Amino acid sequence: MTGADRPPEAAPSGDGGPARADSLFPAAVVSGGGGDPALGAATPRGEGAAERELLGRVFLTRVLEPGDETGGRWVRERGVTEVVRRLREGGRALPGVSEKRWAGLCARAGRADPGRDLAVAGSSGARFVIPGTAEWPGQLDDLGDARPLGLWVRGGPSLRMWALRSVALVGARACTEYGAHMAATLAAGLAERGWVVVSGGAYGVDGAAHRGALGAGGATAAVLASGVDRPYPPGHTALIGRIAEQGLVVGELPPGDHPTPSRFVLRNRVIAALTRGTVVVEAAYRSGSLVTARAARRLGRHVMGVPGPATSALSAGVHELLRGDAVLVGDAAEVVELVGAMGELAPERRGPVLPTDLLEPRTRRALAALPGRGAATAAEVARGAQTTTDDATARLYELRALGYVERHGDGWKLTRQAMISIRGGRSPR
């Protein structure tokens, strides 16, 4: 959604004029109560429309679930302040929901306290980034009405600047040693090339990706399905704390909120939208990381997969992606070739160069015409190399000078050096 498509900040209600911020929230909240320095620009200080927008969006994160397209449509069509007023006042339901669901939303609205949420977030070093501000990543707008109402962010760097050069690395929680190794290696390689590694902070591939980037002294961001002040899983509390110190911890849910299965799934759309492409390292057929890959595909992002053993159930989902339109990648250079700028190409891949590869083609054919055991005459070599006897004789003398063949009476035989060189590559016949 572009700025031109956005509704007025305080859209007129169906029951009268525009709602005022001080009619929706306590006066202490509207004024910011002096403000918490940790909140920075996110602290409301009587800035009118911007203040109403911030408080309203914080309020709505308590009422609407992440990715709620019906709520997103209300915000787009009516404006944040009007939606907040209707939820505060109750009454007739907004279009698109049943009376039962509307009652549930209004009950949530009665307990929402945006001022308290901002204060709690500030005490944990978090800020609230909303659409239309300088730090908001514009690519999240590709989600349409499923766009986050805002994002809670812990960490010093600019979310918008980091998102411009970021790659998602996702995969199985119960990954194999191979999956963990590939995730860490890919993350380290991407970090060394100046790319931000984005993942979900979970066990398995996610954790390996974050550690790989941190170990390389690079940048990483964790997108959580819980409040950013409530690290999940608990076993990754130290890791997520380290990410917050060196990188970014991001989430849609307000402080203190806990994850649920549906929130994990909906979190994945943010990972996909935030990044230039998604790499799936290991995934079974029902892996949640495939949800991220499918979301990335719908959004027009690059989708990549790291292959595994054909017999591994944990790679079956990746292989299914690769049978479609995902691109196979094996290292960071191949990932950057897809998501990077024009000219950021991976090096050409080829096997080792053998001494016999440097021979002139007709000389190689003469060498290939010699038997693996025993000797052959020049005439026999000529027939095998499809040339004349004189030419074959000249090639054999050239090969003798190079140490590949030796003469035995009227015949020619491969030397030990030639056998080693040939066996190191391909068979001559």
Side-chain angles (χ1 to χ4, degrees):
M1 186 191 310
T2 64
D5 298 325
R6 295 184 62 196
E9 300 295 347
S13 74
D15 307 312
R20 290 174 50 81
D22 55 8
S23 68
L24 302 176
F25 307 109
V29 174
V30 174
S31 67
D36 187 327
L39 297 178
T43 305
R45 290 183 178 275
E47 296 179 1
E51 170 195 319
R52 289 195 298 273
E53 184 81 6
L54 173 69
L55 288 171
R57 287 181 178 273
V58 173
F59 171 89
L60 290 174
T61 63
R62 281 287 176 195
V63 179
L64 302 174
E65 281 294 304
D68 186 334
E69 294 190 58
T70 300
R73 188 177 70 252
W74 294 341
V75 170
R76 172 171 55 84
E77 294 176 349
R78 297 167 178 267
V80 169
T81 306
E82 169 64 7
V83 175
V84 170
R85 187 188 70 81
R86 294 288 295 272
L87 286 165
R88 279 284 198 194
E89 294 177 357
R92 185 165 49 88
L94 287 168
V97 295
S98 65
E99 291 295 332
K100 184 181 293 186
R101 185 180 172 211
W102 178 252
L105 293 175
C106 291
R108 280 190 171 192
R111 295 192 299 271
D113 186 345
R116 180 184 60 198
D117 284 338
L118 285 170
V120 171
S123 66
S124 64
R127 58 191 180 275
F128 191 58
V129 178
I130 65 173
T133 58
E135 196 180 351
W136 181 256
Q139 57 265 47
L140 289 176
D141 299 342
D142 294 344
L143 291 168
D145 289 339
R147 178 183 70 172
L149 292 160
L151 290 174
W152 300 91
V153 181
R154 286 175 62 194
S158 165
L159 177 62
R160 176 178 173 273
M161 296 307 297
W162 271 31
L164 291 174
R165 193 174 169 85
S166 63
V167 177
L169 266 178
V170 296
R173 285 179 173 81
C175 67
T176 65
E177 289 185 10
Y178 164 78
H181 169 77
M182 288 303 301
T185 302
L186 280 169
L190 288 165
E192 288 168 354
R193 288 166 171 80
W195 286 81
V196 178
V197 175
V198 178
S199 199
Y203 294 129
V205 167
D206 288 15
H210 291 307
R211 291 188 182 95
L214 292 170
T220 188
V223 182
L224 305 185
S226 61
V228 295
D229 63 331
R230 186 172 180 170
Y232 189 91
H236 273 179
T237 298
L239 174 62
I240 292 171
R242 186 179 170 199
I243 294 170
E245 291 174 2
Q246 297 183 218
L248 291 173
V249 176
V250 181
E252 287 183 82
L253 293 168
D257 253 18
H258 60 84
T260 62
S262 63
R263 287 172 172 179
F264 280 116
V265 173
L266 291 164
R267 178 272 310 270
N268 293 343
R269 84 194 193 287
V270 177
I271 296 177
L274 202 59
T275 53
R276 299 283 295 274
T278 294
V279 183
V280 184
V281 177
E282 276 189 326
Y285 282 124
R286 289 178 56 85
S287 172
S289 57
L290 298 182
V291 175
T292 311
R294 288 190 285 268
R297 180 185 294 131
R298 286 194 301 271
L299 293 165
R301 310 294 196 261
H302 294 285
V303 179
M304 295 153 277
V306 177
T311 55
S312 172
L314 278 175
S315 289
V318 181
H319 296 161
E320 191 67 20
L321 285 177
L322 294 173
R323 291 182 64 203
D325 54 4
V327 177
L328 187 152
V329 292
D331 60 24
E334 292 176 350
V335 174
V336 172
E337 183 175 60
L338 280 177
V339 301
M342 185 178 296
E344 293 188 77
L345 302 177
E348 184 179 351
R349 312 293 179 171
R350 57 180 302 171
V353 177
L354 301 174
T356 52
D357 294 335
L358 304 177
L359 297 174
E360 198 269 337
R362 288 180 296 176
T363 305
R364 280 204 304 272
R365 284 199 296 271
L367 180 64
L370 285 164
R373 295 185 177 214
T377 64
E380 290 171 332
V381 172
R383 285 195 297 272
Q386 302 179 41
T387 186
T388 64
T389 302
D390 289 342
D391 183 62
T393 301
R395 302 294 168 188
L396 288 166
Y397 274 106
E398 178 185 345
L399 290 168
R400 187 178 71 169
L402 294 171
Y404 288 110
V405 302
E406 55 190 11
R407 188 161 185 177
H408 286 260
D410 291 335
W412 297 84
K413 183 179 180 181
L414 292 171
T415 63
R416 179 175 176 78
Q417 173 188 336
M419 294 299 294
I420 293 173
S421 178
I422 291 168
R423 286 172 183 168
R426 47 179 164 59
S427 171
R429 306 192 99 172

